[in-house]
Amino acid sequence: MTGSKALKWTTGVCELLLAIPLLGAVIIIGTSYAPLFIMFVLHLVALVLSIQNREAKYGSVMGLITCALGWIPFLGWLLHLVTGILLLVSAAKRDA
C-alpha cells in the first residue's frame, strides 16, 4: 500500500466521522474549527502523493473543498459525507 492510499483511508474515515450528525458538529465547534485546518493539510499531502504516484486525485481535491466550506451547517455535513465516501472508494481501487 502506498503512502497516498494509506492517507486516503485515514482521511476518508476522519471525514465520515465528521459527517456524523451532532458528533461532527461538536468535534468541529468544540475544537474551534481546528480539525478543518488539520484535514486541509492532510488532504493537501494526500493530493501531492497522489499526483506523484499517478493515482486518483478527486477525493483529495474534494477534501480541500470540504475543508473550505465544511463550517457551513448542513452543507458541511453533506460535503464531509460525500468526501469520505469518495476517499474510501479511491483508496480501495486497485493499482492499474
Side-chain angles (χ1 to χ4, degrees), residues 7-86:
L7 197 50
K8 286 178 189 177
W9 280 110
T10 303
T11 55
V13 169
C14 289
E15 288 291 349
L16 289 178
L17 177 70
L18 293 174
I20 298 172
L22 296 177
L23 177 63
V26 167
I27 291 170
I28 296 292
I29 295 169
T31 57
S32 301
Y33 298 89
L36 294 178
F37 296 111
I38 294 167
M39 292 300 292
F40 186 88
V41 172
L42 292 175
H43 288 305
L44 190 59
V45 170
L47 178 62
V48 169
L49 292 174
S50 294
I51 290 170
Q52 288 177 347
N53 295 332
R54 295 192 169 125
E55 295 174 351
K57 299 173 268 308
Y58 56 86
S60 298
V61 170
M62 188 66 187
L64 294 172
I65 295 167
T66 298
C67 290
L69 300 175
W71 58 273
I72 301 170
F74 301 108
L75 177 63
W77 166 79
L78 180 64
L79 289 172
H80 285 299
L81 181 64
V82 170
T83 300
I85 292 168
L86 289 175

